[in-house]
Amino acid sequence: MRGPSAAFAPSFFDGAFLAELRANVGGDHGFLVEIFKMFVDDAPQVFNDILQALHGRDAVLLKTKVHRLKGSAMNVGAYRLKDICVKIEEELAEGSRQEELAKLVADLKKILGKTLEEVVHVI
Amino acid sequence: MEQSHGDERYTVTLDDDRIVPKLIETYTEIKTLGFSCASDLMAASDNLKPVAAFIDIHLGQKESGTTLIPVLRKKWLGCTFVVITGDRDEDALAQAFRLGADDVIYKPLRPVELQARLKTRLKSHAKKNGSDSILRFADVGYDPATRLLAGPQTSMVIPPLEGKILESLLANPERVMSKSEIKSLCWSQVVVSDIAFYRRIHSVKGYLSSVSSGVTLCSHYGVGVSLGYSKPEASVKKPDSVTSQLGLE
């Protein structure tokens, strides 16, 4: 079975969750690659939708897309991405201040970038 | 044409994240047909007969998967409906259960939880889903597995507690059952007031009058309640319409 190098400790993924995921699929590396490829392919598109919703001040669409990204992040153990999505959801629930939302979406962009960079090391 | 995959069982997943059906298929070891939007699933629903359906509570912008459950439940009798959510949103979950969901699983999906829940559900449905499990009285039929109550007028999914009461009465159709006997069968050790008891009895009465032309609950003062039937003057549909409504034809 292939896997991450022993020295690599992920910062944007939950190591324990990844170990569990690997065990759950019986070390099927091909399956993991497929799952993470879906994540890598889809997450930037969802982020673009988030940006579009932010610029269009469409709170409903923003909430939907952030929720969607949060779900994907949870399914692959990308905990920092999940956390920032939760923050944005909370901000939206509190009244959608545009400035604060824009700041959080900027943070989301950085975290998503780092998360995607780290994918290659965790599978 | 019904999608059969030979004798193979399959599930249906409705989630806008395509990772979800992939994980469900791998973890349950049962083929799943993935749908990302409600309209696609509804368009295909007449040709499907899944053993279980996994439905995301929060779909697209204005879609909630749970609103499909009552419609799909009528089409897919015996199917287990499991809602998927990443939140602990009690209101959304309560609504999902009101609409007929059997169970809930939380993201991230975990195989142990998924397998345990699905296996228990499938086992329970396999046991109860045969035609022998349908309880009948006069022109009504009740399926305890799906809580579907059907009669010549209409069919509906009734709440779990009302279902238990009806199940116990249908199992003893010729007998007047005492209040304490029904309480013990349906509430077990829980102490329940007479007001709460009669509220549920009243609900069961309401459900029966909605689906049936003549079946009702008869109160016997100081003794208990029983099922009664008075044949309506107008002709009723053929008795096999109940079987048809329960999907046994």
Side-chain angles (χ1 to χ4, degrees), chain A residues 8-123:
Chain A
F8 183 77
S11 309
F12 291 83
F13 286 88
D14 178 343
F17 178 88
L18 291 174
E20 190 187 327
L21 183 63
R22 256 179 236 116
N24 288 340
V25 298
D28 183 346
H29 186 72
F31 176 79
L32 288 177
V33 169
E34 204 179 336
I35 290 292
F36 278 88
K37 188 176 182 310
M38 285 179 184
F39 174 70
V40 170
D41 288 346
D42 294 352
Q45 180 56 51
V46 181
F47 178 74
N48 283 339
D49 294 340
I50 289 171
L51 268 187
Q52 213 175 332
L54 178 75
H55 295 145
R57 295 180 181 246
D58 185 340
V60 178
L61 182 63
L62 184 58
K63 188 180 167 191
T64 303
K65 295 300 172 183
V66 169
H67 187 82
R68 159 78 170 80
L69 190 57
K70 183 183 80 173
S72 297
M74 287 170 89
N75 280 327
V76 295
Y79 76 100
R80 290 187 61 181
L81 185 59
K82 183 210 89 177
D83 288 348
I84 186 72
C85 290
V86 170
K87 271 189 192 169
I88 298 174
E89 283 187 323
E90 285 169 356
E91 182 62 27
L92 282 163
E94 281 171 16
S96 317
R97 284 168 295 169
Q98 184 71 10
E99 270 180 32
E100 191 58 33
L101 282 174
K103 207 174 135 202
L104 287 170
V105 171
D107 289 347
L108 171 65
K109 185 181 179 180
K110 279 182 209 156
I111 292 170
L112 176 63
K114 300 265 184 197
T115 303
L116 293 175
E117 277 172 24
E118 209 173 86
V119 165
V120 72
H121 299 291
V122 298
I123 54 172

